[in-house]
Amino acid sequence: MTRIAIHLDGGYVPGLNTVIHGAVRAAAGLGWEVIGLHDGFDGLLFPERYPEGGTIPLTPRHVEPLSNASGCLLGTAPHADPFRVQQLKADAAVCETDRSDELLAWATKSGIEAVISVADSHALGGLWKLERRGLRTLSVPQSPENDIAATDLAFGFSSVLDFTVDILERAREAAAAAGRIGVVEVPGLYAGWLALQSAIAVGADAALLPEIRYDLSRVAEHLSRRLPASRGHGLVVVAEGSTPLETSETPGPAHFLKSSLSPGATGPAGARIHVGRGQSAKTVAEGLQRRLNHTTQALDLGRIALAGPPSSIDRQLGMSYGAAAVQAVQQGRTGSLMAFQAPHLDCVPLEQAVNRHRTIQKDCAWVQVARSLGICLGD
Amino acid sequence: MVLNIQHFCTHDGPGMRTTVFLKGCTLRCKWCSNPESIHPRPELAYNPAKCIGRTECGFCLPKCPEHAIFSTDPDLKVRINWTLCTNCSQCVSACPPGALSLFGHELTVEEVLAEVEQDSPFYRESGGGITLSGGECQLQPDFAAALLEEARHRGMNTAIETAFNVPWENVEKVLPHVDVCLHDHKISDPERHRKWCGADNRRIQENQKRAYETFPGVKFIARTPLIPGVNDDEAHIRAVLAFIRPHPNVIDYELLPYFRFGESKYGFLGRVYELEDFQPPSEELLARLRAIIDEAFGRATAITRKTQP
Ligand code: SF4
Ligand code: SF4
């Protein structure tokens, strides 16, 4: 009997169980057996952590009742890397070791035809490496920021967008009641789709994206034109990865040995580095307050946006991605990524998504729509 | 494997000091302030602020055998796919402005001392000297011992910063050449120590006790990096005091408030900083905990800020 494995290789997005459900149901239709791996590859690499075993057999009877519930059946593995697994050696020293061989050996020994990985953009690189080492994989794209190249819609984005729109409506109401400008940070480190699309949905005053460096003076100017001089209220949506226009700071000459040894320590203060969630909203809120005669208030959606029940779009997308992944395995098309390119659900070579991000082009239709709605993009 | 040499530190031992950071560590504390010192081999670091961009430069792109360097629209600076990068360093020499560089260099004892001695007029005056830090400097016991021995020979005061999670043979090699030993008591409970630092503290405590007893001439200074909600409680401070007070050569116990020093460097190395939501400990809490230490030592204890490479 053909056996396949399925696991969640990446962070959390709402409704991951629906992908598992879709795959298990399609596999059952073919008479295949499905094994679920706990927490990325941890179920295989650290079976001792799981009292009932690191893997679990999955049948439609198991997964059906859980399909649309929030929470997830298998556990996720954000930032996991089977090539660098943190381990405690016998001599009490901690180190990172390459354990990819064990995964390959396990797949051969257990007669696994292919591993279906529900992967975020970070995990795709690792899967590509595993694929080249000989593990047969089939990836399903999941991303709360919809930043995976080669697919128009990654799983999870629609649910996160729904929630974000809901919160933005509330944030605007709260801002109106208090006569303030609400500044809401939403997920989106590389791609600003969530910020842009949610800002359009609620008709926000501004949306700041990782793709367009913003100038706060421009944003302030735009807001002051739109808002009454006092007690006006507004709503600004800020993507986590948005950055201000480069400042003119140039690094001074550093001590040569020091800079050659530890460049991170001596680099210019203005380097673009991710400084933790909530920071972008804070920077923007404070900067606007300094420039305007209005009070601002920062809010960070953070991880809450990534949990909860799936939207109806994600429910059917998840079922379809899961089922189509099984079909692709049946057709021998491993080494691919499932991609939704409307109206087709197909698979593309994994290379097409590794080292790429699906980002917003400055002249695309969404950007033009936003501008015509009077949404300032910071430029 | 030396990571960095930092001049004019005033917090890593007596007087004005020069700190030498050695690479490689046996713990993985989640709050680590020197993430570039964790791995024993040289590592690629990428500073996007210095990158000229793909259109005007892009020399690094064809150099990488792992396809780990890429560039996406619309910002034309390159990006590193850290999952694919193997730290082979082939891209580093291709980068004109030094946006790509290596953390970590092989240096000899003589090369390090030549660098350190530039500062000697300063620490002759202030009673300072050389401090070995890391990483875990006792992971390279022969190099550390040779360096400290020679430094002492040249009239410098010698200090190390260590977590003591190393085999006892290493300690035996290094400590005879040390005047001051700054060492961490991170978390008292072994299981919690394992959760936050990657390994439990049984061997650490064995080594500490044995070191206090075997090297009566070394001045030991205990330290705790105070991490909110992890070890900023009275019980831990009292447990450490109970552990160190029977040994007269443990002359001080310092608290290092957590200031998110290392956070920005995680980005350069493509690592994820897990403690993003933590806030530094409050002044009140610090004052209260310090009072407990003052009482145990019968004198005032200063709060120090740890210097960075
Ligand atoms: S260090 Fe080697 S693997 Fe890493 S980016 Fe540079 S050339 Fe590629
Ligand atoms: S060689 Fe250096 S400056 Fe040029 S594109 Fe690469 S990283 Fe940027």
Side-chain angles (χ1 to χ4, degrees), chain A residues 49 79-84 86-88 91-96 121-129 132 189-190 210-213 240 246 251 255-268 270-277 279 282 300 303 354-357 359-362, chain B residues 2-7 25-28 36 38-39 45 47-50 65-75 77 79-87 98 101-105 107 111 115 118 165 167 194 197-200 203 260 263-268 272 276-277 308-309:
Chain A
R49 290 185 189 163
H79 312 293
D81 183 351
F83 294 87
R84 275 162 233 160
Q86 186 174 314
Q87 272 189 305
L88 190 58
D91 68 349
V94 190
C95 65
E96 279 76 21
S121 57
H122 170 89
L124 291 175
L127 290 169
W128 186 49
K129 241 164 131 178
R132 283 185 297 166
L189 206 47
Y190 295 114
E211 292 90 341
I212 301 176
R213 287 177 181 253
E240 194 183 351
E246 209 127 39
H255 184 279
F256 108 90
L257 182 64
K258 189 177 170 190
S259 60
S260 71
L261 288 167
S262 190
T266 47
R272 183 195 191 285
I273 8 174
H274 176 42
V275 279
R277 273 168 228 263
Q279 197 53 50
K282 243 163 105 187
D300 172 31
R303 296 210 168 88
V354 175
N355 285 354
R356 291 198 176 92
H357 291 288
T359 51
I360 298 171
Q361 304 299 313
K362 284 188 182 109
Chain B
V2 177
L3 172 68
N4 185 18
I5 297 173
Q6 182 165 358
H7 302 269
C25 189
T26 53
L27 294 176
R28 295 291 182 275
E36 69 276 36
I38 289 177
H39 295 292
N47 182 348
K50 290 190 189 165
E66 305 292 331
H67 307 280
I69 308 180
F70 67 105
S71 164
T72 50
D73 286 322
D75 89 352
K77 290 179 189 257
R79 291 195 175 142
I80 311 294
N81 187 330
W82 296 100
T83 319
L84 299 180
C85 173
T86 55
N87 296 312
S101 55
L102 273 194
F103 276 138
H105 286 244
L107 295 180
E111 284 167 329
E115 184 66 26
Q118 293 176 4
N165 190 24
R194 171 153 188 183
C197 301
D200 71 40
R203 179 170 69 166
R260 291 205 195 194
E263 193 176 8
S264 63
K265 293 185 227 159
Y266 283 75
F268 289 126
V272 180
E276 57 186 35
D277 299 330
Q308 293 297 297

Side-chain angles (χ1 to χ4, degrees), chain A residues 48-177:
Chain A
E48 71 283 0
R49 290 185 189 163
Y50 304 87
E52 283 157 23
T55 63
I56 100 174
L58 297 173
T59 63
R61 200 170 47 85
H62 267 107
V63 293
E64 236 162 61
L66 293 170
S67 183
N68 292 329
S70 32
C72 66
L73 189 59
L74 290 176
T76 56
H79 312 293
D81 183 351
F83 294 87
R84 275 162 233 160
V85 183
Q86 186 174 314
Q87 272 189 305
L88 190 58
K89 289 194 296 191
D91 68 349
V94 190
C95 65
E96 279 76 21
T97 42
D98 177 354
R99 298 187 64 183
S100 54
D101 284 345
E102 291 166 55
L103 299 180
L104 296 172
W106 162 82
T108 316
K109 195 179 108 236
S110 328
I112 297 294
E113 180 68 26
V115 180
I116 295 178
S117 301
V118 188
D120 60 14
S121 57
H122 170 89
L124 291 175
L127 290 169
W128 186 49
K129 241 164 131 178
L130 283 172
E131 173 73 32
R132 283 185 297 166
R133 295 286 306 275
L135 188 73
R136 284 188 297 275
T137 63
L138 208 291
S139 309
V140 171
Q142 66 102 325
S143 164
E145 49 183 282
N146 206 13
D147 63 340
I148 297 181
T151 180
D152 288 342
L153 190 54
F155 181 75
F157 176 69
S158 148
S159 310
V160 177
L161 180 63
D162 274 9
F163 176 80
T164 305
V165 167
D166 185 37
I167 292 292
L168 288 182
E169 291 286 8
R170 287 164 199 251
R172 204 213 333 247
E173 236 176 271

Side-chain angles (χ1 to χ4, degrees), chain B:
Chain B
M1 178 59 50
V2 177
L3 172 68
N4 185 18
I5 297 173
Q6 182 165 358
H7 302 269
F8 311 130
C9 308
T10 51
H11 300 291
D12 295 332
M16 189 72 85
R17 311 194 66 84
T18 303
T19 303
V20 179
F21 293 85
L22 301 191
K23 213 160 148 40
C25 189
T26 53
L27 294 176
R28 295 291 182 275
C29 304
K30 290 204 163 63
W31 54 82
C32 182
S33 60
N34 296 337
E36 69 276 36
S37 69
I38 289 177
H39 295 292
R41 306 300 316 159
E43 278 176 279
L44 181 72
Y46 172 54
N47 182 348
K50 290 190 189 165
C51 173
I52 309 168
R54 182 187 63 188
T55 33
E56 281 169 36
C57 171
F59 297 139
C60 55
L61 290 162
K63 288 279 180 210
C64 177
E66 305 292 331
H67 307 280
I69 308 180
F70 67 105
S71 164
T72 50
D73 286 322
D75 89 352
L76 294 167
K77 290 179 189 257
V78 302
R79 291 195 175 142
I80 311 294
N81 187 330
W82 296 100
T83 319
L84 299 180
C85 173
T86 55
N87 296 312
C88 75
S89 86
Q90 292 186 35
C91 56
V92 171
S93 57
C95 179
L100 295 162
S101 55
L102 273 194
F103 276 138
H105 286 244
E106 302 262 7
L107 295 180
T108 63
V109 168
E110 199 36 60
E111 284 167 329
V112 173
L113 282 178
E115 184 66 26
V116 170
E117 287 207 312
Q118 293 176 4
D119 300 340
S120 58
F122 298 95
Y123 40 72
R124 291 265 150 71
E125 306 255 309
S126 66
I130 183 173
T131 301
L132 292 196
S133 182
E136 172 55 73
C137 58
Q138 298 203 72
L139 262 190
Q140 303 179 48
D142 299 315
F143 178 77
L147 181 58
L148 293 169
E149 187 177 10
E150 185 55 30
R152 201 184 239 178
H153 182 67
R154 300 187 191 183
M156 298 177 206
N157 174 289
T158 59
I160 62 169
E161 282 190 293
T162 176
F164 270 120
N165 190 24
V166 292
W168 175 252
E169 305 89 81
N170 297 22
V171 180
E172 267 183 321
K173 282 183 186 163
V174 177
L175 276 189
H177 310 288
V178 170
D179 297 321
V180 180
C181 174
L182 304 143
H183 61 289
D184 279 359
H185 291 258
K186 298 173 198 282
I187 297 172
S188 321
D189 177 65
E191 284 318 306
R192 280 172 52 78
H193 196 284
R194 171 153 188 183
K195 170 175 165 47
W196 290 97
C197 301
D200 71 40
N201 61 350
R202 293 192 181 94
R203 179 170 69 166
I204 295 172
Q205 292 202 332
E206 272 166 33
N207 280 343
Q208 285 169 337
K209 193 151 179 291
R210 206 163 156 191
Y212 298 159
E213 285 161 4
T214 317
F215 301 98
V218 176
K219 292 193 182 97
F220 288 91
I221 298 177
R223 288 174 147 187
T224 291
L226 270 196
I227 316 298
V230 175
N231 61 4
D232 59 343
D233 52 307
E234 266 190 59
H236 174 60
I237 308 297
R238 290 196 190 280
V240 174
L241 286 168
F243 187 85
I244 60 175
R245 284 307 281 147
H247 304 279
N249 52 344
V250 185
I251 58 163
D252 205 349
Y253 179 26
E254 295 176 343
L255 301 180
L256 307 168
Y258 161 79
F259 278 117
R260 291 205 195 194
F261 277 129
E263 193 176 8
S264 63
K265 293 185 227 159
Y266 283 75
F268 289 126
L269 291 160
R271 301 230 188 93
V272 180
Y273 194 67
E274 292 182 47
L275 297 186
E276 57 186 35
D277 299 330
F278 276 29
Q279 295 300 317
S282 70
E283 287 296 325
E284 293 79 3
L285 177 69
L286 271 174
R288 189 158 56 78
L289 297 178
R290 280 156 66 202
I292 297 171
I293 297 173
D294 291 349
E295 196 192 312
F297 278 91
R299 55 175 172 67
T301 307
I303 292 196
T304 60
R305 265 180 90 118
K306 198 176 171 185
T307 41
Q308 293 297 297

